[in-house]
Amino acid sequence: MNHPRSPLSRRSWIGNGLSSLAGIAFADLLARDHARGASSGPTPRLHHPPRAKRVVQLFMAGAASHVDTFDYKPLLKKQHGQPWDPGEQVELFQSTPGACMASPWAFRPYGESGKMMSDIVAPLGDVVDKIAFIHNVVAKTGVHSQATLLQTTGFQLLGFPSAGSWVSYGLGSENDNLPAFVVLPDHRGLASNGAKNWANAFLSAEHQGTVIRPGDETPIRDLFAPESDFITAESDVAGLETLRKLNLAYAEKRADDNRLAARVRSYELAAAMQISATDALDVSAEPQYIRAMYGLADEGSRIDDSVINTRAETEFFGRKCLVARRLLERGVRFVQVWSGNDNGHPRRNWDSHENVQRDHEPLARGMATGAAALIKDLEQRGMLDDTIILWTTEFGRMPCSQGSQGRDHNPFVFTNWLCGGGIQGGSYGPSDEWGYKPQSSTQRTEVYDIYATILHQLGIDHTRLAVRNNGIDRRLTDVHGHVLKEVLAS
């Protein structure tokens, strides 16, 4: 069922009594005339029974090295320092291929499966048997901006909705006082493309990601009126009410334009978030053992970050993972958690051209602590069964050296992993002996397959979640994608 966008707001559908799982915005998949029709119409349904109802995307900005984290390649250690020769000419992003480069860290077996992982991601060893590692993911480009867009939106070009926006559109929020799609960026800045990674594009504006910055003095900007002798609580409420009435009067004359309706909804949501979001961000009520599990530091955001260090990275990423859990249990559908910002010096991202050991170690240990805690926490609350965690990055890094200590971009193969929501643990789709390309040239995984699988677990057929834009039926998976059935639990 491919249909145009509906102008109806989420609130109008709530009054019609749609189930929270089927969602509010999923009604947009129905025909325009039905979506505009009477409340007596049938309740929209998912395409098939779901195994999951929410998603967390953990995004490592800058390109995390698979061969230094999850994809064990003993050949790199055996031939360390020798000329690297994959048997073909290799064109890299900003260097010529150097010598074969072993990982600076030891790999050890974890879990009943004996999955080999690097020491810098050791905290994930406690939950490794629950994780599906997909080692043959390929990108289309080695350029950060395009590759990041591909992983967040399914397209290399601007102008397409984020995966979180599609999930918001498809399912809506379970909590009318919180947005369906929340973004927790790196506190030091945004990744390549900035807000375009969570934009709604041609979907209604209510489906764009809402940015929250845990640990900041103002985690949600413009949520509260600024301190002023002129502005009072009463005048603030009165002003918003007047603005609401003016907007509604304007919108009634332009029923086919949903932009203002989305803006009105954003004001209503902001008012509701003054209570709901503040509560979700307050981790002080969490037991000490939970805060310790996530690696939170006593000094919080005031922790010393003058030099990149493991303790600070653990605090930053762990706090976002804990807030993500609190948002998910309050009904948010999709939470995007970022590690790393756009390029700067000294580096605070995974783009380790100069020194992979310097950059990756604190980032990876912090990430692994927070991600492992999130998996354990969701499981002990009975939420892991219906929550999907996606770990990704824009591409991988080369098995050869750049200079003497860095690694250049590798768009030819890298690793994603999935956990929860009906996903079974294991390793799938191996890369070659170098970690340079997929082991099989005919068997590779693309971002479309990852999202087709996630949507399937959410009860959505990825080929039917589509919106006509500029005369073309657009979807998250473009014209590609197949469900990775081998990673699904029976």
Side-chain angles (χ1 to χ4, degrees):
M1 290 188 303
N2 300 340
H3 297 292
R5 290 162 284 170
S6 163
L8 292 183
S9 69
R10 179 183 301 160
R11 185 170 295 279
S12 66
W13 280 102
I14 290 174
N16 294 339
L18 294 179
S19 67
S20 60
L21 180 58
I24 309 310
F26 198 71
D28 288 332
L29 288 176
L30 302 178
R32 177 183 290 267
D33 55 350
H34 171 70
R36 289 178 175 174
S39 60
S40 59
T43 300
R45 301 294 181 189
L46 295 169
H47 297 133
H48 52 262
R51 288 292 303 269
K53 58 183 180 181
R54 60 184 83 86
V55 181
V56 186
Q57 182 181 39
L58 309 178
F59 201 109
M60 309 301 112
S65 173
H66 55 300
V67 295
D68 291 302
T69 50
F70 304 118
D71 199 1
Y72 177 51
K73 298 300 171 189
L75 185 62
L76 299 186
K77 182 176 182 180
K78 181 180 179 180
Q79 299 193 6
H80 177 72
Q82 298 179 24
W84 180 66
D85 182 13
E88 62 182 49
Q89 184 175 356
V90 181
E91 183 177 347
L92 300 183
F93 179 70
Q94 60 170 228
S95 68
T96 56
C100 185
M101 180 177 169
S103 176
W105 303 280
F107 277 69
R108 309 178 198 278
Y110 291 91
E112 294 183 5
S113 62
K115 168 66 178 174
M116 297 293 288
M117 295 196 306
S118 166
D119 281 350
I120 56 173
V121 293
L124 282 164
D126 292 342
V127 294
V128 70
D129 290 332
K130 303 179 188 301
I131 298 174
F133 295 92
I134 304 168
H135 292 305
N136 64 346
V137 183
V138 297
K140 292 184 174 182
T141 175
V143 177
H144 287 293
S145 56
Q146 293 173 282
T148 301
L149 273 181
L150 183 65
Q151 298 303 314
T152 55
T153 73
F155 291 83
Q156 294 185 83
L157 302 176
L158 300 174
F160 294 93
S162 169
S165 297
W166 278 111
V167 171
S168 170
Y169 171 79
L171 297 178
S173 177
E174 292 188 293
N175 185 340
D176 201 40
N177 294 331
L178 287 170
F181 177 21
V182 171
V183 179
L184 308 178
D186 193 288
H187 71 287
R188 292 161 291 214
L190 304 183
S192 183
N193 306 310
K196 298 178 183 66
N197 292 312
W198 50 85
N200 57 292
F202 47 77
L203 298 180
S204 173
E206 67 183 282
H207 302 303
Q208 66 185 317
T210 297
V211 175
I212 297 178
R213 295 175 171 82
D216 278 18
E217 291 184 9
T218 55
I220 307 174
R221 292 177 182 174
D222 302 321
L223 186 60
F224 296 95
E227 293 185 8
S228 168
D229 294 335
F230 175 75
I231 300 174
T232 65
E234 293 77 11
S235 67
D236 188 38
V237 170
L240 290 173
E241 176 61 18
T242 300
L243 183 60
R244 185 186 70 85
K245 291 179 179 178
L246 291 171
N247 284 334
L248 287 174
Y250 185 90
E252 286 176 357
K253 298 177 181 179
R254 298 161 179 83
D256 288 332
D257 188 345
N258 64 14
R259 292 174 297 176
L260 189 56
R263 180 61 61 85
V264 170
R265 169 61 184 150
S266 72
Y267 289 140
E268 295 173 344
L269 185 60
M273 284 175 63
Q274 289 181 352
I275 297 175
S276 298
T278 302
D279 174 66
L281 295 174
D282 183 9
V283 302
S284 63
E286 294 285 341
Q288 177 57 35
Y289 80 93
I290 291 290
R291 286 179 285 170
M293 182 171 69
Y294 281 94
L296 270 59
D298 291 339
E299 59 268 50
S301 60
R302 300 186 305 278
I303 194 168
D304 181 19
D305 184 34
S306 56
V307 176
I308 189 169
N309 67 89
T310 297
R311 188 165 179 266
E313 296 306 318
T314 303
E315 153 65 31
F316 299 144
F317 197 78
R319 185 173 295 272
K320 285 181 286 193
C321 286
L322 178 52
V323 168
R325 187 222 83 202
R326 292 175 64 85
L327 290 166
L328 292 171
E329 66 185 347
R330 286 162 172 78
V332 174
R333 290 288 189 186
F334 197 106
V335 181
Q336 197 178 65
V337 180
W338 291 85
S339 169
N341 62 336
D342 205 358
N343 279 335
H345 294 279
R347 289 199 184 276
R348 292 293 190 271
N349 61 25
W350 297 78
D351 195 21
S352 300
H353 288 280
E354 304 87 11
N355 190 325
V356 69
Q357 186 169 14
R358 177 198 65 193
D359 301 336
H360 267 50
E361 182 156 333
L363 287 167
R365 291 188 186 277
M367 174 278 297
T369 299
L374 179 60
I375 294 171
K376 295 175 185 177
D377 204 3
L378 289 172
E379 183 176 35
Q380 72 183 4
R381 294 168 188 274
M383 295 174 61
L384 188 61
D385 287 343
D386 56 12
T387 303
I388 297 174
I389 301 172
L390 165 63
W391 185 96
T392 191
T393 187
E394 60 260 51
F395 39 70
R397 308 207 78 84
M398 294 298 295
C400 58
S401 65
Q402 179 177 355
S404 59
Q405 297 176 296
R407 295 192 192 273
D408 208 338
H409 301 176
N410 182 2
F412 310 112
V413 79
F414 60 108
T415 294
N416 278 191
W417 58 255
L418 294 163
C419 181
I423 303 294
Q424 64 179 356
S427 293
Y428 305 90
S431 62
D432 64 16
E433 60 184 351
W434 304 102
Y436 168 50
K437 287 185 175 181
Q439 185 179 79
S440 170
S441 60
T442 61
Q443 296 181 354
R444 62 184 197 172
T445 302
E446 296 184 83
V447 64
Y448 317 111
D449 308 318
I450 299 293
Y451 283 134
T453 304
I454 290 174
L455 291 177
H456 176 83
Q457 295 302 89
L458 293 171
I460 299 173
D461 179 345
H462 73 101
T463 67
R464 298 167 66 190
L465 181 65
V467 164
R468 179 156 291 240
N469 183 60
N470 288 335
I472 301 175
D473 291 332
R474 294 296 193 182
R475 67 187 205 219
L476 174 59
T477 53
D478 196 10
V479 296
H480 312 286
H482 67 276
V483 176
L484 301 172
K485 295 182 179 179
E486 63 270 26
V487 309
L488 305 183
S490 57

